[in-house]
Amino acid sequence: MSDTPPILVVDDQEKLLKLVIMLMNRLGFPEVEGVTSGPEALERLRERKYALVISDLDMEPMDGIGLLREIRGDDALMNTPFILTESSFDFEDINVAHQAGADAFILKPFDMAVLKGKLKQVLNRKPRRREAPLATESTLSIDFPMLGKF
């Protein structure tokens, strides 16, 4: 048994799911589980602790944002790091996901160096506190002045 907590990958496309699991294994994460839907991911998350969730944005019946909101709304799960993936993000997607509490975004296909960097950043962040409500406004314009206001 490894001392690295497992990682949960959520993607409704089987091939991509298998690819992400393989990439995570290559990066040194021996225990990576995959599911193909948001409801199935929530079921798994309530059964065992995960170090990280990597979820596709565009899924049915529950998309990545819906899954993220469920996780952030659950006291037992709210500190689970969450990375959202998609083949293209528009500013609205990023803004909504940021407000919902996403820790990072990664574009598909994954660049190994970017994936490694995002994983370090997300896995080393401080836990959330319930008394600090999620921002009602995005802070992206502060973090990324070149993106302008939302």
Side-chain angles (χ1 to χ4, degrees):
M1 184 77 186
S2 150
D3 59 355
T4 311
I7 289 172
L8 185 63
V9 179
V10 190
D11 198 314
D12 57 355
Q13 294 180 42
E14 289 277 349
K15 280 183 179 172
L16 286 172
L17 185 64
K18 287 183 174 129
L19 177 68
V20 177
I21 291 170
M22 188 186 72
L23 288 174
M24 296 304 291
N25 291 156
R26 271 200 206 148
L27 285 172
F29 295 93
E31 206 178 338
V32 185
E33 295 177 14
V35 294
T36 55
S37 74
E40 195 181 350
L42 281 173
E43 199 175 297
R44 290 279 184 96
L45 285 159
R46 291 185 173 125
E47 288 169 3
R48 94 185 271 203
K49 182 151 179 61
Y50 289 89
L52 170 69
V53 174
I54 299 174
S55 175
D56 185 35
L57 174 67
D58 190 22
M59 301 184 294
E60 294 292 333
M62 178 190 287
D63 67 5
I65 299 289
L67 175 59
L68 175 58
R69 285 186 176 132
E70 288 285 330
I71 290 169
R72 292 295 178 249
D74 184 318
D75 286 342
L77 303 175
M78 69 182 236
N79 279 310
T80 307
F82 195 99
I83 295 177
L84 214 47
T85 67
E86 188 51 73
S87 49
S88 68
F89 284 111
D90 62 29
F91 288 136
E92 186 55 31
D93 290 336
I94 292 173
N95 195 29
V96 168
H98 182 75
Q99 287 182 28
D103 294 298
F105 310 93
I106 302 179
L107 282 173
K108 297 178 200 172
F110 297 133
D111 174 284
M112 285 296 269
V114 170
L115 181 58
K116 226 173 172 172
K118 294 282 186 184
L119 287 167
K120 270 187 187 161
Q121 168 200 325
V122 168
L123 293 172
N124 292 327
R125 72 162 176 69
K126 291 179 172 44
R128 291 183 157 67
R129 293 183 191 196
R130 181 57 76 205
E131 63 270 16
L134 292 174
T136 52
E137 279 182 35
S138 171
T139 55
L140 284 178
S141 59
I142 296 160
D143 297 340
F144 306 100
M146 299 310 287
L147 296 182
K149 297 277 181 205
F150 285 93

